[in-house]
mmCIF file of all heavy atoms in Angstrom:
data_model
loop_
_atom_site.group_PDB
_atom_site.id
_atom_site.type_symbol
_atom_site.label_atom_id
_atom_site.label_comp_id
_atom_site.label_asym_id
_atom_site.label_seq_id
_atom_site.Cartn_x
_atom_site.Cartn_y
_atom_site.Cartn_z
ATOM 1 N N GLY A 686 -95.485 -10.128 -190.815
ATOM 2 C CA GLY A 686 -96.237 -9.540 -191.906
ATOM 3 C C GLY A 686 -97.481 -8.821 -191.438
ATOM 4 O O GLY A 686 -97.469 -8.124 -190.419
ATOM 5 N N HIS A 687 -98.573 -9.059 -192.162
ATOM 6 C CA HIS A 687 -99.811 -8.334 -191.893
ATOM 7 C C HIS A 687 -100.524 -8.849 -190.642
ATOM 8 O O HIS A 687 -101.413 -8.196 -190.117
ATOM 9 C CB HIS A 687 -100.741 -8.451 -193.101
ATOM 10 C CG HIS A 687 -101.812 -7.422 -193.151
ATOM 11 N ND1 HIS A 687 -101.552 -6.066 -193.188
ATOM 12 C CD2 HIS A 687 -103.165 -7.535 -193.150
ATOM 13 C CE1 HIS A 687 -102.697 -5.397 -193.225
ATOM 14 N NE2 HIS A 687 -103.684 -6.262 -193.195
ATOM 15 N N GLY A 688 -100.134 -10.019 -190.167
ATOM 16 C CA GLY A 688 -100.737 -10.561 -188.955
ATOM 17 C C GLY A 688 -100.838 -12.070 -188.970
ATOM 18 O O GLY A 688 -100.573 -12.719 -187.961
ATOM 19 N N ALA A 689 -101.253 -12.637 -190.110
ATOM 20 C CA ALA A 689 -101.415 -14.086 -190.195
ATOM 21 C C ALA A 689 -100.066 -14.780 -190.002
ATOM 22 O O ALA A 689 -99.052 -14.350 -190.544
ATOM 23 C CB ALA A 689 -102.012 -14.479 -191.538
ATOM 24 N N GLY A 690 -100.067 -15.858 -189.208
ATOM 25 C CA GLY A 690 -98.858 -16.630 -189.002
ATOM 26 C C GLY A 690 -97.905 -16.063 -187.975
ATOM 27 O O GLY A 690 -96.848 -16.646 -187.720
ATOM 28 N N LYS A 691 -98.257 -14.940 -187.357
ATOM 29 C CA LYS A 691 -97.354 -14.339 -186.369
ATOM 30 C C LYS A 691 -97.246 -15.254 -185.154
ATOM 31 O O LYS A 691 -98.257 -15.702 -184.612
ATOM 32 C CB LYS A 691 -97.864 -12.961 -185.949
ATOM 33 C CG LYS A 691 -96.915 -12.207 -185.017
ATOM 34 C CD LYS A 691 -97.418 -10.803 -184.705
ATOM 35 C CE LYS A 691 -97.288 -9.894 -185.907
ATOM 36 N NZ LYS A 691 -97.607 -8.479 -185.563
ATOM 37 N N PRO A 692 -96.040 -15.569 -184.702
ATOM 38 C CA PRO A 692 -95.886 -16.500 -183.578
ATOM 39 C C PRO A 692 -96.424 -15.919 -182.275
ATOM 40 O O PRO A 692 -96.490 -14.707 -182.089
ATOM 41 C CB PRO A 692 -94.374 -16.724 -183.509
ATOM 42 C CG PRO A 692 -93.763 -15.554 -184.204
ATOM 43 C CD PRO A 692 -94.745 -15.140 -185.245
ATOM 44 N N THR A 693 -96.807 -16.814 -181.378
ATOM 45 C CA THR A 693 -97.370 -16.412 -180.095
ATOM 46 C C THR A 693 -96.458 -15.458 -179.349
ATOM 47 O O THR A 693 -96.925 -14.470 -178.756
ATOM 48 C CB THR A 693 -97.644 -17.663 -179.232
ATOM 49 O OG1 THR A 693 -98.636 -18.462 -179.891
ATOM 50 C CG2 THR A 693 -98.125 -17.288 -177.850
ATOM 51 N N SER A 694 -95.161 -15.727 -179.348
ATOM 52 C CA SER A 694 -94.222 -14.875 -178.603
ATOM 53 C C SER A 694 -94.265 -13.438 -179.105
ATOM 54 O O SER A 694 -94.256 -12.486 -178.308
ATOM 55 C CB SER A 694 -92.799 -15.433 -178.719
ATOM 56 O OG SER A 694 -92.409 -15.543 -180.088
ATOM 57 N N LYS A 695 -94.337 -13.249 -180.415
ATOM 58 C CA LYS A 695 -94.396 -11.897 -180.966
ATOM 59 C C LYS A 695 -95.748 -11.242 -180.678
ATOM 60 O O LYS A 695 -95.824 -10.035 -180.431
ATOM 61 C CB LYS A 695 -94.125 -11.920 -182.477
ATOM 62 C CG LYS A 695 -92.667 -12.175 -182.857
ATOM 63 C CD LYS A 695 -92.476 -12.093 -184.369
ATOM 64 C CE LYS A 695 -91.030 -12.366 -184.772
ATOM 65 N NZ LYS A 695 -90.130 -11.260 -184.410
ATOM 66 N N LEU A 696 -96.825 -12.032 -180.726
ATOM 67 C CA LEU A 696 -98.147 -11.490 -180.421
ATOM 68 C C LEU A 696 -98.191 -10.961 -178.990
ATOM 69 O O LEU A 696 -98.681 -9.854 -178.731
ATOM 70 C CB LEU A 696 -99.212 -12.569 -180.607
ATOM 71 C CG LEU A 696 -99.560 -12.960 -182.042
ATOM 72 C CD1 LEU A 696 -100.452 -14.203 -182.042
ATOM 73 C CD2 LEU A 696 -100.257 -11.816 -182.769
ATOM 74 N N ILE A 697 -97.693 -11.747 -178.051
ATOM 75 C CA ILE A 697 -97.709 -11.338 -176.645
ATOM 76 C C ILE A 697 -96.870 -10.086 -176.437
ATOM 77 O O ILE A 697 -97.289 -9.142 -175.751
ATOM 78 C CB ILE A 697 -97.216 -12.498 -175.755
ATOM 79 C CG1 ILE A 697 -98.273 -13.616 -175.738
ATOM 80 C CG2 ILE A 697 -96.918 -12.020 -174.339
ATOM 81 C CD1 ILE A 697 -97.840 -14.864 -174.993
ATOM 82 N N GLU A 698 -95.694 -10.032 -177.038
ATOM 83 C CA GLU A 698 -94.825 -8.868 -176.881
ATOM 84 C C GLU A 698 -95.479 -7.606 -177.443
ATOM 85 O O GLU A 698 -95.432 -6.537 -176.821
ATOM 86 C CB GLU A 698 -93.484 -9.118 -177.575
ATOM 87 C CG GLU A 698 -92.614 -10.146 -176.875
ATOM 88 C CD GLU A 698 -91.427 -10.562 -177.718
ATOM 89 O OE1 GLU A 698 -91.285 -10.010 -178.842
ATOM 90 O OE2 GLU A 698 -90.650 -11.435 -177.276
ATOM 91 N N GLU A 699 -96.096 -7.725 -178.617
ATOM 92 C CA GLU A 699 -96.705 -6.549 -179.240
ATOM 93 C C GLU A 699 -97.897 -6.046 -178.435
ATOM 94 O O GLU A 699 -98.034 -4.840 -178.203
ATOM 95 C CB GLU A 699 -97.143 -6.888 -180.672
ATOM 96 C CG GLU A 699 -97.757 -5.701 -181.404
ATOM 97 C CD GLU A 699 -98.084 -6.025 -182.853
ATOM 98 O OE1 GLU A 699 -97.170 -6.437 -183.593
ATOM 99 O OE2 GLU A 699 -99.255 -5.877 -183.232
ATOM 100 N N ILE A 700 -98.763 -6.959 -178.008
ATOM 101 C CA ILE A 700 -99.936 -6.540 -177.241
ATOM 102 C C ILE A 700 -99.510 -5.944 -175.905
ATOM 103 O O ILE A 700 -100.051 -4.928 -175.458
ATOM 104 C CB ILE A 700 -100.892 -7.728 -177.044
ATOM 105 C CG1 ILE A 700 -101.470 -8.165 -178.388
ATOM 106 C CG2 ILE A 700 -102.024 -7.367 -176.082
ATOM 107 C CD1 ILE A 700 -102.131 -9.528 -178.358
ATOM 108 N N ALA A 701 -98.540 -6.577 -175.246
ATOM 109 C CA ALA A 701 -98.047 -6.047 -173.973
ATOM 110 C C ALA A 701 -97.507 -4.629 -174.147
ATOM 111 O O ALA A 701 -97.729 -3.754 -173.297
ATOM 112 C CB ALA A 701 -96.970 -6.967 -173.403
ATOM 113 N N ASP A 702 -96.828 -4.390 -175.246
ATOM 114 C CA ASP A 702 -96.300 -3.039 -175.500
ATOM 115 C C ASP A 702 -97.427 -2.039 -175.749
ATOM 116 O O ASP A 702 -97.367 -0.885 -175.299
ATOM 117 C CB ASP A 702 -95.336 -3.065 -176.688
ATOM 118 C CG ASP A 702 -93.989 -3.680 -176.332
ATOM 119 O OD1 ASP A 702 -93.737 -3.886 -175.131
ATOM 120 O OD2 ASP A 702 -93.198 -3.952 -177.249
ATOM 121 N N GLN A 703 -98.453 -2.456 -176.480
ATOM 122 C CA GLN A 703 -99.586 -1.558 -176.728
ATOM 123 C C GLN A 703 -100.306 -1.212 -175.428
ATOM 124 O O GLN A 703 -100.636 -0.055 -175.173
ATOM 125 C CB GLN A 703 -100.552 -2.198 -177.720
ATOM 126 C CG GLN A 703 -100.003 -2.287 -179.138
ATOM 127 C CD GLN A 703 -100.922 -3.057 -180.067
ATOM 128 O OE1 GLN A 703 -101.491 -4.085 -179.686
ATOM 129 N NE2 GLN A 703 -101.073 -2.587 -181.286
ATOM 130 N N TRP A 704 -100.566 -2.228 -174.589
ATOM 131 C CA TRP A 704 -101.269 -1.963 -173.328
ATOM 132 C C TRP A 704 -100.400 -1.141 -172.373
ATOM 133 O O TRP A 704 -100.909 -0.274 -171.660
ATOM 134 C CB TRP A 704 -101.681 -3.270 -172.675
ATOM 135 C CG TRP A 704 -102.878 -3.981 -173.231
ATOM 136 C CD1 TRP A 704 -103.478 -5.069 -172.677
ATOM 137 C CD2 TRP A 704 -103.644 -3.700 -174.416
ATOM 138 N NE1 TRP A 704 -104.546 -5.494 -173.440
ATOM 139 C CE2 TRP A 704 -104.672 -4.667 -174.514
ATOM 140 C CE3 TRP A 704 -103.553 -2.737 -175.418
ATOM 141 C CZ2 TRP A 704 -105.604 -4.681 -175.553
ATOM 142 C CZ3 TRP A 704 -104.475 -2.751 -176.465
ATOM 143 C CH2 TRP A 704 -105.471 -3.698 -176.522
ATOM 144 N N ALA A 705 -99.086 -1.409 -172.354
ATOM 145 C CA ALA A 705 -98.190 -0.607 -171.514
ATOM 146 C C ALA A 705 -98.205 0.850 -171.967
ATOM 147 O O ALA A 705 -98.219 1.775 -171.141
ATOM 148 C CB ALA A 705 -96.774 -1.177 -171.566
ATOM 149 N N PHE A 706 -98.197 1.057 -173.261
ATOM 150 C CA PHE A 706 -98.270 2.415 -173.807
ATOM 151 C C PHE A 706 -99.544 3.112 -173.327
ATOM 152 O O PHE A 706 -99.507 4.267 -172.886
ATOM 153 C CB PHE A 706 -98.230 2.346 -175.331
ATOM 154 C CG PHE A 706 -98.279 3.683 -176.026
ATOM 155 C CD1 PHE A 706 -97.140 4.462 -176.146
ATOM 156 C CD2 PHE A 706 -99.467 4.154 -176.565
ATOM 157 C CE1 PHE A 706 -97.179 5.691 -176.795
ATOM 158 C CE2 PHE A 706 -99.529 5.376 -177.215
ATOM 159 C CZ PHE A 706 -98.376 6.146 -177.324
ATOM 160 N N LEU A 707 -100.678 2.405 -173.387
ATOM 161 C CA LEU A 707 -101.938 3.012 -172.946
ATOM 162 C C LEU A 707 -101.936 3.271 -171.442
ATOM 163 O O LEU A 707 -102.449 4.298 -170.977
ATOM 164 C CB LEU A 707 -103.116 2.118 -173.328
ATOM 165 C CG LEU A 707 -103.395 1.949 -174.825
ATOM 166 C CD1 LEU A 707 -104.674 1.146 -175.043
ATOM 167 C CD2 LEU A 707 -103.484 3.293 -175.546
ATOM 168 N N VAL A 708 -101.383 2.346 -170.672
ATOM 169 C CA VAL A 708 -101.290 2.565 -169.222
ATOM 170 C C VAL A 708 -100.528 3.861 -168.938
ATOM 171 O O VAL A 708 -100.923 4.653 -168.073
ATOM 172 C CB VAL A 708 -100.606 1.362 -168.541
ATOM 173 C CG1 VAL A 708 -100.138 1.709 -167.134
ATOM 174 C CG2 VAL A 708 -101.560 0.171 -168.488
ATOM 175 N N LYS A 709 -99.469 4.090 -169.675
ATOM 176 C CA LYS A 709 -98.651 5.291 -169.481
ATOM 177 C C LYS A 709 -99.388 6.550 -169.912
ATOM 178 O O LYS A 709 -99.550 7.490 -169.121
ATOM 179 C CB LYS A 709 -97.359 5.140 -170.276
ATOM 180 C CG LYS A 709 -96.457 6.370 -170.297
ATOM 181 C CD LYS A 709 -95.752 6.570 -168.984
ATOM 182 C CE LYS A 709 -94.704 7.669 -169.090
ATOM 183 N NZ LYS A 709 -94.025 7.878 -167.795
ATOM 184 N N VAL A 710 -99.852 6.596 -171.155
ATOM 185 C CA VAL A 710 -100.356 7.864 -171.693
ATOM 186 C C VAL A 710 -101.773 8.185 -171.231
ATOM 187 O O VAL A 710 -102.184 9.352 -171.250
ATOM 188 C CB VAL A 710 -100.274 7.881 -173.241
ATOM 189 C CG1 VAL A 710 -98.834 7.689 -173.695
ATOM 190 C CG2 VAL A 710 -101.177 6.826 -173.864
ATOM 191 N N LEU A 711 -102.538 7.149 -170.820
ATOM 192 C CA LEU A 711 -103.876 7.411 -170.287
ATOM 193 C C LEU A 711 -103.853 7.549 -168.767
ATOM 194 O O LEU A 711 -104.900 7.722 -168.145
ATOM 195 C CB LEU A 711 -104.847 6.290 -170.677
ATOM 196 C CG LEU A 711 -105.106 6.075 -172.174
ATOM 197 C CD1 LEU A 711 -106.130 4.955 -172.380
ATOM 198 C CD2 LEU A 711 -105.567 7.360 -172.853
ATOM 199 N N ASP A 712 -102.650 7.438 -168.182
ATOM 200 C CA ASP A 712 -102.469 7.566 -166.732
ATOM 201 C C ASP A 712 -103.368 6.582 -165.986
ATOM 202 O O ASP A 712 -104.105 6.943 -165.062
ATOM 203 C CB ASP A 712 -102.765 9.005 -166.277
ATOM 204 C CG ASP A 712 -102.291 9.272 -164.846
ATOM 205 O OD1 ASP A 712 -101.380 8.560 -164.395
ATOM 206 O OD2 ASP A 712 -102.862 10.165 -164.185
ATOM 207 N N MET A 713 -103.284 5.313 -166.395
ATOM 208 C CA MET A 713 -104.066 4.261 -165.747
ATOM 209 C C MET A 713 -103.380 3.811 -164.466
ATOM 210 O O MET A 713 -102.163 3.934 -164.319
ATOM 211 C CB MET A 713 -104.235 3.062 -166.684
ATOM 212 C CG MET A 713 -105.098 3.318 -167.898
ATOM 213 S SD MET A 713 -105.175 1.883 -169.015
ATOM 214 C CE MET A 713 -106.036 0.673 -168.005
#
Side-chain angles (χ1 to χ4, degrees):
H687 199 59
K691 185 176 288 188
T693 296
S694 57
K695 287 184 181 288
L696 287 170
I697 290 175
E698 289 169 2
E699 181 176 304
I700 294 165
D702 285 349
Q703 290 174 319
W704 283 188
F706 181 80
L707 294 186
V708 164
K709 174 74 171 179
V710 301
L711 298 182
D712 193 24
M713 292 177 66

